[in-house]
PDB file of all heavy atoms in Angstrom:
ATOM      1  N   LYS C 131     -81.175 -20.441  20.137  1.00 88.00           N
ATOM      2  CA  LYS C 131     -80.299 -20.965  21.198  1.00 88.00           C
ATOM      3  C   LYS C 131     -78.842 -20.643  20.933  1.00 88.00           C
ATOM      4  O   LYS C 131     -78.067 -20.390  21.855  1.00 88.00           O
ATOM      5  CB  LYS C 131     -80.477 -22.497  21.284  1.00 88.00           C
ATOM      6  CG  LYS C 131     -81.025 -22.960  22.605  1.00 88.00           C
ATOM      7  CD  LYS C 131     -80.817 -24.435  22.870  1.00 88.00           C
ATOM      8  CE  LYS C 131     -81.342 -25.341  21.797  1.00 88.00           C
ATOM      9  NZ  LYS C 131     -81.425 -26.736  22.254  1.00 88.00           N
ATOM     10  N   SER C 132     -78.472 -20.667  19.645  1.00 91.00           N
ATOM     11  CA  SER C 132     -77.053 -20.487  19.330  1.00 91.00           C
ATOM     12  C   SER C 132     -76.584 -19.065  19.596  1.00 91.00           C
ATOM     13  O   SER C 132     -75.392 -18.803  19.653  1.00 91.00           O
ATOM     14  CB  SER C 132     -76.775 -20.851  17.867  1.00 91.00           C
ATOM     15  OG  SER C 132     -77.490 -19.976  17.004  1.00 91.00           O
ATOM     16  N   GLY C 133     -77.522 -18.129  19.774  1.00 93.00           N
ATOM     17  CA  GLY C 133     -77.119 -16.750  20.017  1.00 93.00           C
ATOM     18  C   GLY C 133     -77.189 -16.342  21.477  1.00 93.00           C
ATOM     19  O   GLY C 133     -76.928 -15.193  21.816  1.00 93.00           O
ATOM     20  N   LEU C 134     -77.516 -17.297  22.346  1.00 93.00           N
ATOM     21  CA  LEU C 134     -77.648 -16.977  23.767  1.00 93.00           C
ATOM     22  C   LEU C 134     -76.498 -17.553  24.560  1.00 93.00           C
ATOM     23  O   LEU C 134     -76.051 -18.664  24.299  1.00 93.00           O
ATOM     24  CB  LEU C 134     -78.938 -17.583  24.315  1.00 93.00           C
ATOM     25  CG  LEU C 134     -80.243 -16.915  23.923  1.00 93.00           C
ATOM     26  CD1 LEU C 134     -81.406 -17.774  24.355  1.00 93.00           C
ATOM     27  CD2 LEU C 134     -80.338 -15.547  24.595  1.00 93.00           C
ATOM     28  N   PHE C 135     -76.003 -16.792  25.526  1.00 92.00           N
ATOM     29  CA  PHE C 135     -74.941 -17.303  26.395  1.00 92.00           C
ATOM     30  C   PHE C 135     -75.086 -16.643  27.758  1.00 92.00           C
ATOM     31  O   PHE C 135     -75.170 -15.431  27.851  1.00 92.00           O
ATOM     32  CB  PHE C 135     -73.578 -16.989  25.778  1.00 92.00           C
ATOM     33  CG  PHE C 135     -72.438 -17.686  26.449  1.00 92.00           C
ATOM     34  CD1 PHE C 135     -72.175 -19.023  26.169  1.00 92.00           C
ATOM     35  CD2 PHE C 135     -71.625 -17.033  27.366  1.00 92.00           C
ATOM     36  CE1 PHE C 135     -71.124 -19.693  26.781  1.00 92.00           C
ATOM     37  CE2 PHE C 135     -70.562 -17.695  27.976  1.00 92.00           C
ATOM     38  CZ  PHE C 135     -70.317 -19.036  27.680  1.00 92.00           C
ATOM     39  N   GLY C 136     -75.120 -17.461  28.759  1.00 90.00           N
ATOM     40  CA  GLY C 136     -75.264 -16.902  30.102  1.00 90.00           C
ATOM     41  C   GLY C 136     -76.506 -16.064  30.232  1.00 90.00           C
ATOM     42  O   GLY C 136     -76.527 -15.073  30.956  1.00 90.00           O
ATOM     43  N   GLY C 137     -77.548 -16.445  29.479  1.00 91.00           N
ATOM     44  CA  GLY C 137     -78.800 -15.711  29.597  1.00 91.00           C
ATOM     45  C   GLY C 137     -78.849 -14.424  28.795  1.00 91.00           C
ATOM     46  O   GLY C 137     -79.879 -13.756  28.740  1.00 91.00           O
ATOM     47  N   LYS C 138     -77.739 -14.051  28.165  1.00 94.00           N
ATOM     48  CA  LYS C 138     -77.743 -12.797  27.413  1.00 94.00           C
ATOM     49  C   LYS C 138     -77.770 -13.079  25.913  1.00 94.00           C
ATOM     50  O   LYS C 138     -77.311 -14.128  25.466  1.00 94.00           O
ATOM     51  CB  LYS C 138     -76.491 -11.982  27.753  1.00 94.00           C
ATOM     52  CG  LYS C 138     -76.340 -11.663  29.220  1.00 94.00           C
ATOM     53  CD  LYS C 138     -75.566 -10.340  29.398  1.00 94.00           C
ATOM     54  CE  LYS C 138     -75.392 -10.022  30.863  1.00 94.00           C
ATOM     55  NZ  LYS C 138     -74.172 -10.575  31.437  1.00 94.00           N
ATOM     56  N   LEU C 139     -78.274 -12.100  25.156  1.00 95.00           N
ATOM     57  CA  LEU C 139     -78.367 -12.256  23.704  1.00 95.00           C
ATOM     58  C   LEU C 139     -77.121 -11.687  23.028  1.00 95.00           C
ATOM     59  O   LEU C 139     -76.752 -10.535  23.257  1.00 95.00           O
ATOM     60  CB  LEU C 139     -79.610 -11.517  23.186  1.00 95.00           C
ATOM     61  CG  LEU C 139     -79.840 -11.642  21.677  1.00 95.00           C
ATOM     62  CD1 LEU C 139     -80.275 -13.062  21.338  1.00 95.00           C
ATOM     63  CD2 LEU C 139     -80.882 -10.645  21.216  1.00 95.00           C
ATOM     64  N   TYR C 140     -76.467 -12.511  22.210  1.00 96.00           N
ATOM     65  CA  TYR C 140     -75.299 -12.022  21.488  1.00 96.00           C
ATOM     66  C   TYR C 140     -75.455 -12.159  19.985  1.00 96.00           C
ATOM     67  O   TYR C 140     -74.756 -11.507  19.229  1.00 96.00           O
ATOM     68  CB  TYR C 140     -74.043 -12.794  21.921  1.00 96.00           C
ATOM     69  CG  TYR C 140     -73.644 -12.530  23.352  1.00 96.00           C
ATOM     70  CD1 TYR C 140     -74.009 -13.405  24.372  1.00 96.00           C
ATOM     71  CD2 TYR C 140     -72.921 -11.392  23.691  1.00 96.00           C
ATOM     72  CE1 TYR C 140     -73.649 -13.155  25.690  1.00 96.00           C
ATOM     73  CE2 TYR C 140     -72.555 -11.136  25.001  1.00 96.00           C
ATOM     74  CZ  TYR C 140     -72.934 -12.017  26.001  1.00 96.00           C
ATOM     75  OH  TYR C 140     -72.579 -11.776  27.302  1.00 96.00           O
ATOM     76  N   GLY C 141     -76.339 -13.046  19.551  1.00 95.00           N
ATOM     77  CA  GLY C 141     -76.482 -13.269  18.119  1.00 95.00           C
ATOM     78  C   GLY C 141     -77.929 -13.273  17.695  1.00 95.00           C
ATOM     79  O   GLY C 141     -78.786 -13.829  18.378  1.00 95.00           O
ATOM     80  N   VAL C 142     -78.214 -12.629  16.564  1.00 96.00           N
ATOM     81  CA  VAL C 142     -79.572 -12.573  16.025  1.00 96.00           C
ATOM     82  C   VAL C 142     -79.685 -13.593  14.903  1.00 96.00           C
ATOM     83  O   VAL C 142     -78.864 -13.606  13.994  1.00 96.00           O
ATOM     84  CB  VAL C 142     -79.873 -11.165  15.464  1.00 96.00           C
ATOM     85  CG1 VAL C 142     -81.236 -11.136  14.810  1.00 96.00           C
ATOM     86  CG2 VAL C 142     -79.777 -10.136  16.568  1.00 96.00           C
ATOM     87  N   PRO C 143     -80.690 -14.500  14.960  1.00 95.00           N
ATOM     88  CA  PRO C 143     -80.841 -15.486  13.891  1.00 95.00           C
ATOM     89  C   PRO C 143     -81.018 -14.809  12.538  1.00 95.00           C
ATOM     90  O   PRO C 143     -81.762 -13.843  12.415  1.00 95.00           O
ATOM     91  CB  PRO C 143     -82.119 -16.243  14.290  1.00 95.00           C
ATOM     92  CG  PRO C 143     -82.241 -16.039  15.753  1.00 95.00           C
ATOM     93  CD  PRO C 143     -81.692 -14.686  16.021  1.00 95.00           C
ATOM     94  N   TYR C 144     -80.347 -15.316  11.553  1.00 95.00           N
ATOM     95  CA  TYR C 144     -80.345 -14.682  10.227  1.00 95.00           C
ATOM     96  C   TYR C 144     -81.139 -15.572   9.284  1.00 95.00           C
ATOM     97  O   TYR C 144     -82.173 -15.180   8.774  1.00 95.00           O
ATOM     98  CB  TYR C 144     -78.875 -14.489   9.843  1.00 95.00           C
ATOM     99  CG  TYR C 144     -78.472 -14.125   8.446  1.00 95.00           C
ATOM    100  CD1 TYR C 144     -79.357 -13.673   7.485  1.00 95.00           C
ATOM    101  CD2 TYR C 144     -77.124 -14.218   8.099  1.00 95.00           C
ATOM    102  CE1 TYR C 144     -78.910 -13.336   6.207  1.00 95.00           C
ATOM    103  CE2 TYR C 144     -76.685 -13.875   6.829  1.00 95.00           C
ATOM    104  CZ  TYR C 144     -77.579 -13.443   5.897  1.00 95.00           C
ATOM    105  OH  TYR C 144     -77.134 -13.111   4.645  1.00 95.00           O
TER     106      TYR C 144
END
Side-chain angles (χ1 to χ4, degrees):
Chain C
K131 243 198 306 195
S132 63
L134 286 170
F135 191 79
K138 302 209 181 90
L139 182 71
Y140 293 98
V142 176
Y144 168 14

